[in-house]
Amino acid sequence: AIATFHGEVVSAKPFSKPYNLFAKLFLGRMKRIIATSPNIAETAPLLRLFRHKVTVIPLGIDPPVLFAANRTSLFPKGVHPKLLFVGRLAAVKGLPILLEAMARLPQVILEIIGDGPDRVWLEKRAADLGVADRVCFAGYQDQDAVRRALETTDIFVMASFAEGVPVVLMEALASGVAAVATRVAGVSELIEHE
């Protein structure tokens, strides 16, 4: 049997010991383990016991489907810069940090595509910070809607505390969008931080 390993699961402490035990038993039964990036293969604590079974096969995308040849220029005259986040609305994604940043950037608009367990709390947090009028919670969107959002955004943002190799970041870069992301795991394989 073969397993694909995308990265460590960031979970609540009560579940981490049972999860790690299950994961070690599961990975121990595998003939091969596919890691989705060199960074994950080298740094994931769960893979240390199984290095002899690990092969790296990076994730990929189909850029011709995504690339937007007709992108508008950054910050057209009279238009507020637009940021875009696409992902699960959960603590590990760092959205409270993005909302706090929005409070310091009065001329910026943020579109959030995705849904998850923290959505209601994040909407309330945006209101408490006084940025709800500049933050759009668009909810889950299909791939075509995400592609259209990438065509009309200025900067793709990702404030995650943990990531494997984020496919959505690959899609944003392939679409010609500037990106700002936290330096975690596989993100550094896609973006050179300056």
Side-chain angles (χ1 to χ4, degrees), residues 67-106:
F67 188 76
N70 298 323
R71 283 195 50 73
T72 56
S73 63
L74 284 179
F75 315 119
K77 194 173 188 175
V79 175
H80 296 302
K82 179 182 166 191
L83 307 180
L84 175 66
F85 168 88
V86 178
R88 192 168 40 93
L89 307 190
V92 70
K93 297 299 185 177
L95 283 162
I97 293 170
L98 286 179
L99 295 177
E100 289 169 21
M102 289 296 293
R104 297 178 181 193
L105 302 167

Side-chain angles (χ1 to χ4, degrees), residues 141-162:
Q141 302 289 312
D142 65 23
Q143 188 61 42
D144 287 337
V146 171
R147 181 185 45 76
R148 286 190 301 275
L150 286 167
E151 289 175 357
T152 61
T153 198
D154 297 301
I155 301 171
F156 180 82
V157 291
M158 181 175 263
S160 298
F161 298 118

Side-chain angles (χ1 to χ4, degrees), residues 116-139:
D118 291 353
R119 180 172 178 163
V120 172
W121 183 86
L122 290 165
E123 289 174 333
K124 183 180 181 323
R125 183 71 179 136
D128 292 346
L129 290 168
V131 299
D133 61 327
R134 296 183 293 111
V135 177
C136 171
F137 287 88

